[in-house]
Amino acid sequence: MELDFDIKMTTSALYDYNMHHTYTSFSGVIATFAGIILLAGYSRDLSNIALLIAGIVILLYSPVTLFTRSKKNILLNPAFKNPLHYHLNDEGVTVSQGDDAMTVEWKDMYKAYSTNQSIIIATGKKNAWIFPKRELGESRVELIEMICTHMDPEKVKIKQ
């Protein structure tokens, strides 16, 4: 089985990945919890405006920063200027752009998961290939089948 498709990275897809990555990490959960605690403290003592301001800043800082960073990366990173071509087969995944190509074998994939907007194959703790569902079109089902066929089921957390 082989599958080929092209992906043009967008700010929206990169932002979705960054939000998921941040808010499923320990620090993202702690920051959210701290913001909620501060807002709850304000609701008990409405005269302490500092709690309200601190809670709002903590809760809004990450989403705003992640969006800004995603937009900047899309605009400035040469890898995002043109579509990336992906070729999947029984050996692994090859991603190419122009004359540059890189192949990662299925056994070396870290994990695969989905968000509302994307299917993601993590090639390491901080590196991933992002496949926006709307760009995949009909290839989405085939991509999921290939991932589920070639990766350890413990590493796959994809929701249809």
Side-chain angles (χ1 to χ4, degrees):
M1 181 176 196
E2 292 192 10
L3 178 63
D4 286 278
F5 54 85
D6 294 324
I7 297 293
K8 174 80 170 119
M9 190 54 55
T10 63
T11 300
S12 174
L14 190 56
Y15 178 65
D16 177 62
Y17 165 76
N18 285 329
M19 287 287 286
H20 182 273
H21 187 72
T22 298
Y23 285 102
T24 56
S25 71
F26 181 73
S27 62
V29 171
I30 293 299
T32 302
F33 185 68
I36 291 169
I37 294 295
L38 289 167
L39 291 179
Y42 171 73
S43 72
R44 300 188 91 216
D45 179 11
L46 298 177
S47 66
N48 193 345
I49 200 82
L51 291 175
L52 174 65
I53 293 170
I56 290 172
V57 167
I58 288 173
L59 290 174
L60 292 180
Y61 176 79
S62 285
V64 170
T65 302
L66 291 173
F67 180 78
T68 305
R69 190 179 309 146
S70 297
K71 187 172 183 109
K72 184 178 175 182
N73 278 338
I74 293 296
L75 292 173
L76 299 178
N77 190 332
F80 296 140
K81 296 285 184 221
N82 297 308
L84 294 165
H85 180 76
Y86 292 90
H87 175 77
L88 292 77
N89 59 27
D90 292 333
E91 284 76 47
V93 179
T94 301
V95 60
S96 60
Q97 188 178 58
D99 294 334
D100 298 325
M102 175 180 77
T103 301
V104 178
E105 293 181 21
W106 288 109
K107 67 179 178 61
D108 296 329
M109 304 289 180
Y110 184 69
K111 67 180 176 177
Y113 57 94
S114 62
T115 66
N116 288 337
Q117 292 185 29
S118 302
I119 295 170
I120 298 159
I121 298 177
T123 56
K125 286 190 178 198
K126 294 187 178 185
N127 298 321
W129 292 322
I130 304 166
F131 307 115
K133 291 176 181 176
R134 73 170 182 275
E135 289 236 1
L136 287 170
E138 310 248 339
S139 300
R140 182 172 135 193
V141 174
E142 291 177 78
L143 172 63
I144 294 170
E145 284 178 19
M146 290 206 69
I147 291 169
C148 292
T149 301
H150 294 94
M151 287 182 69
D152 179 352
E154 294 291 319
K155 295 181 176 183
V156 178
K157 307 250 185 297
I158 297 176
K159 297 174 190 156
Q160 297 275 356

